[in-house]
Amino acid sequence: MNIGKRHENLILFFCTLILSVLGVVVVFSATSVTAGSSVRLGNDSAYFFKRQVLFLVLGASLAVLLTRIDYDLYRRRIWLLVLGTLGLLLLVFIPVVGHTANGASRWINLRAFTFQPSELAKFILIAFAAWVIDRNGENPRKGFSAFLPVLVVMGVFVAAILKEPDFGMAVVITASLLALLFIAGFPWKFLAGGFVVGLIGVVYLIASKPYRIKRLEAFIDPFSQAQAAGYAVVQSLIAFSNGGLLGTGIGAGKQKLYYLPEIHTDYIFSVVGEELGFAGVVAVGACFLILVWVGFRIARRARDLFGRYLAMGLSTVIGIQALMNMMVGLKMLPPKGMVLPFLSYGGSSLILHLAAMGVMINISMKGAEAFVSDSDRRGRRNWRTRFSGDSSC
Amino acid sequence: MNPRARIILGGLAAVYMLVVLRAFHIQILGVRGIQERSARQYPVKIPLVPMRGAILDRVGNELAVSVATKSIFIQPDKLKSTDSVAELLARRVSRPVSEIRKLLSSKKSFLWVKRQMPSSSAEEAVREIREAVGTDKRGGDDGIGIVEEPKRFYPNRELASSLLGFTDLDSTGIEGVEKSLDKYLKGEPAFLMCERDARGRIIVPSTTEVAVNSRGDSVSLTIDRNVQHLAESELREAVEGHNARGGIALVMRPKTGEVLAMATLPTYNPNAVAGGAPEARKNRALTDMFEPGSTFKVFTLAAAMEMGNVKTSDSIFCENGSYRYAGRVLHDTHGKGWLTVPEVLKYSSNIGASKISERMDPDRFHDMIRSFGFGTKTGIELIGEVGGIIPPRARFGGIRRATVSFGQGISVTPIQMATAMSAVVNGGKIMKPYIVREIRDPEGKVVYRGEPKELRRILSPKTSERMREMMGLVVQEDGTGTQARIKGFSVGGKTGTAQKVEVGTGKYSPNKRVSSFVGFLPLQDPELMILVVIDEPKGQVYGGVVAAPAFNQIAVKTAYYLGIPPTEPVTRAVARKEKEAQKPGEVQLTRVSSGAPEGAMVMPDLRGFSMGRVVDVMGRYSVKLDLVGSGVARHQVPAAGRLLVPGTECSVTFGGS
């Protein structure tokens, strides 16, 4: 299939628009009743809705801005970004500055809002990996050692994120980076070794926290402890079950009536399943899959290796996170706190994911420009000339 | 594309397919465990009052019905409550503001504020509250709403109130027929189906006016509303006329045991139970025992005749009114010498009855008394019946047997008396008394039908016939019950006057009496058995004076109403009544002078009359009366001024005023 750059940008734009606008609607549906009867939120049934709309506007503005900023900036300033993000990541552990909710210190307190640095870290680590690959080239002769800086920096970040703790985010980051390195030619044997080490690490991490064991038990047989650890999973399944083929209709779901905890963040997909049914589930999943696919198309014609791997990395991380969130909601993975990109309520998540789409479009635009002007600063045009037939676009 | 990139992309696509398959499994194919849990976690059932079945009389007139009312509920956690709301609500439902405030601050998620209000005022109240809190006029989930609930209503107010009983707010029968037949009348439990959220708060469906589908069976009684009405009004006249404490009137069909009327006084309005005295609420026809006095002589004579101890031709020496027996002196009010057996009954001689009982074996006499049904419940369908008290068989001799023979030292209930007396005159069969004609389910299918049931034969038809003849003498000239005589019908009966036993001391009261008259008509083929018991009349106390006139009025009106063919020419009766009727404002009864059949009359104009008045007026004619509807008379057949012949069928239609 041959689609031009403009079409790719349009598809990317519409997928993002559909997902984030649907997110605003579903967040409103999921929270209006509970927020409306919450004295803490001033009985404002539109509390979450209004904030999510604000985040959408901010994120869209940022995305538009980023389409205008050459992504080469991130390559040149990569260490500033990495160290700055690491600094933010460590801020969450400082009292007063850090904001703790549900026993996790994942946020920086900004008075009316909170900021979640791990959402930023996710994207910065992708950029860092792209930078390393850009420096060493694909399938480097040095082999494993060429990727070592990525693994080291990732190790530091993941350690900090696990300390928060944010197990889900750590898994998403690790999986996405490993996928990216795999594409770049990371040796099989090290990948296999890394997988074994990672597995041992995961088992250790689960065993080290009783609540993770509980979650795992609840995952294996949620109905046995439907009122305790398995509660959320069971309620999520009930939401999907209630939805049927076409759903109860927007606003008509029942699971938002305090049945499903964290419904506007971790379990927003369950609301989609309940109110829009199987059709909604398929459509939302398809949007994400198309988004990843288009991201990979953009990567193929990127101006340089940095842009190429940045585009693939951003697509991969969004795709992996979305699928993992869906799998948790459908009890295909053990529960872990993780939002659904674009749809879940949350400023950091929505704004940064929209920003990532802005960067993606910039990569797409620069790739096309580079082709037309035929000027390649870094002299790596050979992989791109294969697609000269696309010039008419 | 880089083949490794294809692997990643393909991997993500594969996982997406797995997600879709999993969702397909849960959402389209369905997982039973999940669906069951879903079905279980939302519903909340709020009990409502089911639509109780109606109680009807034998021709379908409504005696007790359930009418739709509206109940107001609040959900304190949802209702924006302010002082003004509390005050408004308090005023609208007439409850103290403090109570309403307490309700509004309750932690419960569903509370009734006022139940079973008239529809319009409930709706108005809720509309006003909604305006006050500023919610949509059509409501929704705003914390206040209306649910339709039925309320019991007794359209005839006091009529048959002690028989019907009443229900509580939740439609459970508390007394009378309502309680006795509760399992039929009550209906399936009804519920308002709501949903709850995970915090247990109740979400009432937006259409809060829920129709109540559950209905109870309707019960049709053997009671006839019009007979009941006239029995009650005649009884009231007698009770008030003699300043009595209360009274009981029973009208039965002696051949079947059907109860046509069961009236008690004092009475109460079952629509406002709070106002009724406990004394008024019980059905005294079943719960009150009294010493029957002379009416019991009928059973003594019947037993002696049946066992061959006396013949009608036998003469008894009545000791001129004073008879020393077993260490006591028995007295007669009017001392007599030699009396035949029928005369013993006619003049109601205690000494005569005692001497007749002496001829019987005490054990067999005792057995006969038990066979008549005394000492055991009759088994009528109503609750609260008592069995009466008879002396134990082992100590049934001497003076005790002597006093029982004229109705002292034995306690009976009115229903026992009417049942036993029916057996004496109906050919000798104890018919089980019954009051339930039929029970129909909400679809109209008959689920129970009351039928005459012969319990046992105690007298031969011959003895029964003799007894009827003897009881006919009682109302003849210089008998004790002359006031029971009815022109047009030959009747039989017996008077009774008994001293009351003081509660507490167990001794006979010096001045408290129970006066009664039990009678039947027509004499030769009894269709009606009527018992009138007057409790503690002041002044005159003799049953023949106090109770017999009430019997007379009930008997004549019931007989004409039911169209029982007169056994004697009625001209004289009408003529006498005509004179009585010549009061201002009364209906003019015009006798047709010449050429008309014997006893023919002219139909009066009944329009605008109440049903009671129509029965009164038409009771003076020997016509068949058919009353339709309720309210005031609207239409009549035949028209006013038309000729009435005894037995003519008259129909009067009633409507709202």
Side-chain angles (χ1 to χ4, degrees):
Chain A
M1 197 190 330
N2 243 339
I3 52 169
K5 149 223 140 194
R6 288 228 179 92
H7 288 101
E8 284 166 2
N9 289 354
L10 265 180
I11 293 169
L12 204 63
F13 173 74
F14 277 115
C15 278
T16 309
L17 186 75
I18 289 168
L19 289 175
S20 48
V21 169
L22 180 66
V24 167
V25 172
V26 176
V27 162
F28 185 43
S29 168
T31 58
S32 60
V33 175
T34 50
S37 55
S38 164
V39 177
R40 190 172 57 82
L41 302 179
N43 293 94
D44 181 4
S45 57
Y47 177 85
F48 291 101
F49 171 71
K50 286 192 279 196
R51 287 169 68 101
Q52 186 78 343
V53 168
L54 177 65
F55 299 146
L56 180 59
V57 171
L58 288 176
S61 311
L62 184 58
V64 169
L65 184 68
L66 291 181
T67 58
R68 303 283 163 200
I69 295 174
D70 193 325
Y71 66 90
D72 200 48
L73 179 68
Y74 320 125
R75 188 183 61 80
R76 283 182 276 121
R77 296 277 179 269
I78 192 68
W79 284 108
L80 179 69
L81 291 172
V82 168
L83 293 176
T85 305
L86 189 60
L88 289 173
L89 210 48
L90 296 177
L91 271 183
V92 300
F93 300 111
I94 298 170
V96 183
V97 180
H99 175 78
T100 305
N102 301 330
S105 311
R106 296 176 187 172
W107 299 272
I108 293 171
N109 201 343
L110 302 172
R111 288 178 178 274
F113 299 93
T114 57
F115 177 66
Q116 191 180 353
S118 56
E119 285 286 353
L120 182 62
K122 185 168 72 182
F123 295 116
I124 296 304
L125 277 174
I126 295 289
F128 181 71
W131 177 76
V132 170
I133 294 161
D134 182 65
R135 280 170 65 98
N136 295 315
E138 290 174 306
N139 305 311
R141 262 169 291 143
K142 281 191 282 178
F144 174 71
S145 58
F147 298 111
L148 199 58
V150 179
L151 297 180
V152 171
V153 171
M154 184 181 83
V156 173
F157 272 68
V158 166
I161 289 169
L162 283 173
K163 187 85 183 81
E164 286 178 353
D166 192 344
F167 189 68
M169 186 63 87
V171 170
V172 167
I173 287 173
T174 309
S176 309
L177 285 184
L178 287 179
L180 204 58
L181 296 186
F182 171 71
I183 295 170
F186 195 68
W188 276 106
K189 53 182 176 184
F190 287 102
L191 201 65
F195 184 75
V196 171
V197 171
L199 202 66
I200 293 166
V202 166
V203 169
Y204 168 76
L205 284 172
I206 289 173
S208 67
K209 297 278 189 212
Y211 80 90
R212 287 182 185 144
I213 297 174
K214 269 237 160 66
R215 278 189 180 180
L216 198 66
E217 283 172 0
F219 171 70
I220 292 160
D221 187 6
F223 290 92
S224 70
Q225 32 187 335
Q227 292 305 324
Y231 178 77
V233 181
V234 169
Q235 292 302 333
S236 172
L237 291 178
I238 289 174
F240 282 101
S241 181
N242 288 351
L245 177 61
L246 296 174
T248 59
I250 288 282
K254 297 171 190 165
Q255 288 298 85
K256 62 196 175 201
L257 302 171
Y258 304 101
Y259 284 100
L260 197 43
E262 308 302 328
I263 192 168
H264 57 311
T265 55
D266 297 354
Y267 287 103
I268 198 75
F269 192 56
S270 313
V271 180
V272 172
E274 185 178 24
E275 301 194 348
L276 298 174
F278 179 65
V281 168
V282 170
V284 167
C287 274
F288 279 108
L289 201 63
I290 291 168
L291 205 132
V292 173
W293 178 64
V294 170
F296 273 63
R297 303 270 314 182
I298 288 170
R300 206 160 57 171
R301 69 180 62 196
R303 183 176 62 192
D304 48 27
L305 270 185
F306 179 68
R308 183 183 186 187
Y309 278 87
L310 187 56
M312 281 196 290
L314 294 177
S315 309
T316 308
V317 77
I318 289 172
I320 286 180
Q321 187 172 340
L323 286 171
M324 282 179 73
N325 175 284
M326 294 177 185
M327 290 166 84
V328 168
L330 285 162
K331 212 203 99 177
M332 300 165 78
L333 282 180
K336 46 188 147 314
M338 184 191 301
V339 299
L340 185 60
F342 304 112
L343 278 98
S344 286
Y345 171 78
S348 312
S349 169
L350 181 56
I351 291 172
L352 288 171
H353 279 98
L354 288 171
M357 290 301 103
V359 171
M360 192 89 93
I361 287 176
N362 183 256
I363 296 169
S364 171
M365 282 157 51
K366 293 301 170 193
E369 276 170 29
F371 181 81
V372 172
S373 65
D374 198 34
S375 68
D376 188 353
R377 290 174 295 119
R378 308 178 71 84
R380 289 191 198 96
R381 61 153 80 153
N382 50 340
W383 65 273
R384 218 193 300 121
T385 50
R386 280 178 289 167
F387 302 108
S388 55
D390 288 352
S391 61
S392 61
C393 306
Chain B
M1 199 185 281
N2 182 333
R4 288 194 170 191
R6 286 182 192 275
I7 292 173
I8 296 296
L9 208 51
L12 290 176
V15 173
Y16 167 73
M17 284 316 296
L18 288 178
V19 167
V20 168
L21 283 176
R22 172 77 173 155
F24 185 81
H25 180 226
I26 293 172
Q27 301 193 272
I28 308 297
L29 302 180
V31 178
R32 188 183 292 169
I34 299 170
Q35 288 168 339
E36 277 171 2
R37 220 188 127 75
S38 172
R40 207 169 55 224
Q41 75 179 3
Y42 308 112
V44 183
K45 299 201 289 188
I46 294 173
L48 294 179
V49 175
M51 199 72 170
R52 202 174 166 81
I55 303 177
L56 310 168
D57 80 349
R58 63 184 301 118
V59 295
N61 291 308
E62 289 170 339
L63 301 178
V65 289
S66 284
V67 293
T69 58
K70 301 255 163 108
S71 296
I72 298 180
F73 67 84
I74 54 164
Q75 297 186 273
D77 52 351
K78 289 183 187 167
L79 187 62
K80 286 181 220 151
S81 66
T82 59
D83 278 355
S84 66
V85 168
E87 273 162 33
L88 269 177
L89 206 49
R91 190 154 46 79
R92 282 297 190 171
V93 304
S94 358
R95 286 181 67 173
V97 182
S98 56
E99 262 182 50
I100 299 294
R101 286 220 182 87
K102 206 185 269 177
L103 290 181
L104 286 170
S105 58
S106 163
K107 290 266 179 282
K108 294 230 177 81
S109 67
F110 186 98
L111 285 169
W112 296 114
V113 177
K114 178 84 176 179
R115 293 179 73 175
Q116 301 173 351
M117 292 173 79
S119 286
S120 56
S121 60
E123 275 160 13
E124 213 170 290
V126 169
R127 202 182 311 125
E128 199 178 81
I129 303 294
R130 282 185 175 149
E131 271 165 25
V133 297
T135 52
D136 184 0
K137 279 198 190 74
R138 287 185 303 159
D141 200 17
D142 62 353
I144 185 162
I146 294 175
V147 173
E148 197 170 276
E149 280 196 303
K151 182 191 165 116
R152 204 60 164 165
F153 177 63
Y154 302 89
N156 306 295
R157 292 166 55 89
E158 286 85 359
L159 186 89
S161 54
S162 70
L163 166 64
L164 297 175
F166 55 93
T167 69
D168 66 7
L169 210 54
D170 291 317
S171 191
T172 301
I174 299 296
E175 287 280 2
V177 173
E178 296 277 29
K179 182 170 184 183
S180 311
L181 299 172
D182 199 45
K183 69 169 177 170
Y184 292 104
L185 291 164
K186 195 168 179 61
E188 295 292 310
F191 295 99
L192 176 63
M193 302 304 294
C194 298
E195 291 187 336
R196 70 173 152 233
D197 67 21
R199 294 185 176 179
R201 302 198 318 173
I202 293 166
I203 302 133
V204 180
S206 50
T207 51
T208 50
E209 288 176 30
V210 181
V212 178
N213 294 322
S214 165
R215 273 185 164 277
D217 299 342
S218 65
V219 171
S220 167
L221 301 179
T222 58
I223 295 293
D224 184 300
R225 185 179 66 176
N226 299 318
V227 176
Q228 178 77 23
H229 172 81
L230 63 89
E232 281 186 18
S233 47
E234 297 305 335
L235 179 67
R236 175 168 286 113
E237 201 160 296
V239 165
E240 284 171 2
H242 296 278
N243 288 317
R245 201 166 141 230
I248 297 142
L250 269 173
V251 181
M252 276 175 82
R253 284 201 182 269
K255 290 174 182 169
T256 61
E258 281 172 285
V259 180
L260 294 180
M262 190 181 268
T264 65
L265 279 178
T267 185
Y268 70 103
N269 181 358
N271 294 316
V273 174
E279 173 76 4
R281 293 184 196 170
K282 60 178 186 171
N283 187 348
R284 307 181 66 180
L286 313 173
T287 63
D288 274 20
M289 290 186 288
F290 67 105
E291 293 211 348
S294 304
T295 48
F296 203 78
K297 288 170 189 159
V298 172
F299 306 110
T300 305
L301 260 66
M305 301 250 302
E306 180 65 16
M307 294 189 287
N309 298 107
V310 288
K311 298 193 295 291
T312 43
S313 54
D314 288 357
S315 282
I316 312 288
F317 181 62
C318 291
E319 310 281 349
N320 293 316
S322 182
Y323 174 45
R324 180 168 294 273
Y325 177 74
R328 266 187 61 182
V329 182
L330 307 179
H331 292 283
D332 277 338
T333 321
H334 311 286
K336 302 276 182 190
W338 285 96
L339 292 178
T340 61
V341 169
E343 282 169 340
V344 167
L345 200 63
K346 180 175 179 179
Y347 300 117
S348 196
S349 166
N350 291 346
I351 296 164
S354 175
K355 284 194 166 178
I356 289 169
S357 76
E358 280 171 44
R359 297 190 180 188
M360 285 184 276
D361 172 58
D363 284 349
R364 292 190 66 192
F365 182 32
H366 192 271
D367 289 345
M368 280 299 281
I369 291 171
R370 287 195 64 87
S371 291
F372 274 115
F374 298 112
T376 49
K377 297 177 185 178
T378 62
I380 193 166
E381 302 94 327
L382 300 167
I383 53 131
E385 189 187 1
V386 298
I389 301 168
I390 60 176
R393 187 175 160 137
R395 290 160 57 198
F396 191 65
I399 187 68
R400 193 177 294 268
R401 191 208 63 244
T403 59
V404 165
S405 74
F406 50 87
Q408 276 184 24
I410 183 166
S411 287
V412 306
T413 62
I415 190 73
Q416 281 177 336
M417 175 59 72
T419 304
M421 200 60 83
S422 293
V424 170
V425 303
N426 72 4
K429 296 169 291 189
I430 292 278
M431 301 302 295
K432 184 175 177 175
Y434 70 102
I435 199 154
V436 179
R437 192 172 149 267
E438 63 184 24
I439 300 175
R440 287 176 185 266
D441 67 13
E443 283 76 47
K445 210 176 100 234
V446 175
V447 294
Y448 173 87
R449 196 187 294 278
E451 259 148 24
K453 190 177 173 198
E454 182 185 331
L455 292 178
R456 56 192 169 270
R457 170 170 288 281
I458 49 161
L459 299 178
S460 65
K462 190 82 189 154
T463 309
S464 180
E465 195 190 334
R466 293 273 149 72
M467 290 311 300
R468 286 200 297 270
E469 282 162 4
M470 281 193 254
M471 288 173 78
L473 292 176
V474 173
V475 301
Q476 296 307 317
E477 293 301 332
D478 61 274
T480 51
T482 51
Q483 297 206 44
R485 258 190 294 181
I486 299 170
K487 295 299 190 301
F489 291 96
S490 52
V491 305
K494 183 70 191 82
T495 59
T497 313
Q499 286 172 290
K500 275 185 88 171
V501 176
E502 290 275 22
V503 182
T505 63
K507 290 202 167 67
Y508 285 107
S509 162
N511 49 8
K512 290 180 184 165
R513 297 285 190 279
V514 176
S515 309
S516 58
F517 188 89
V518 56
F520 58 95
L521 79 166
L523 188 67
Q524 290 313 318
D525 185 22
E527 293 288 346
L528 292 175
M529 168 63 61
I530 298 167
L531 169 67
V532 177
V533 180
I534 306 294
D535 187 19
E536 293 184 28
K538 308 282 188 305
Q540 288 279 15
V541 295
Y542 290 104
V545 182
V546 175
F551 163 84
N552 178 308
Q553 288 302 303
I554 296 170
V556 68
K557 289 173 181 173
T558 306
Y560 286 142
Y561 165 72
L562 294 176
I564 296 168
T567 51
E568 295 169 3
V570 291
T571 33
R572 277 187 304 144
V574 171
R576 192 169 65 84
K577 287 284 168 188
E578 186 187 10
K579 267 179 257 153
E580 283 178 12
Q582 304 282 348
K583 292 179 207 147
E586 264 287 337
V587 184
Q588 298 288 312
L589 300 182
T590 319
R591 190 141 69 96
V592 179
S593 49
S594 59
E598 177 79 347
M601 302 288 295
V602 165
M603 181 79 177
D605 186 356
L606 299 167
R607 282 170 296 178
F609 283 20
S610 70
M611 192 173 289
R613 186 114 183 264
V614 168
V615 172
D616 278 356
V617 170
M618 295 308 290
R620 293 165 191 155
Y621 303 79
S622 49
V623 294
K624 283 183 185 159
L625 193 53
D626 182 22
L627 305 177
V628 184
S630 62
V632 296
R634 288 259 165 263
H635 184 71
Q636 65 183 67
V637 176
R642 296 291 291 273
L643 202 63
L644 283 182
V645 189
T648 305
E649 287 185 15
C650 299
S651 165
V652 183
T653 310
F654 295 81
S657 43

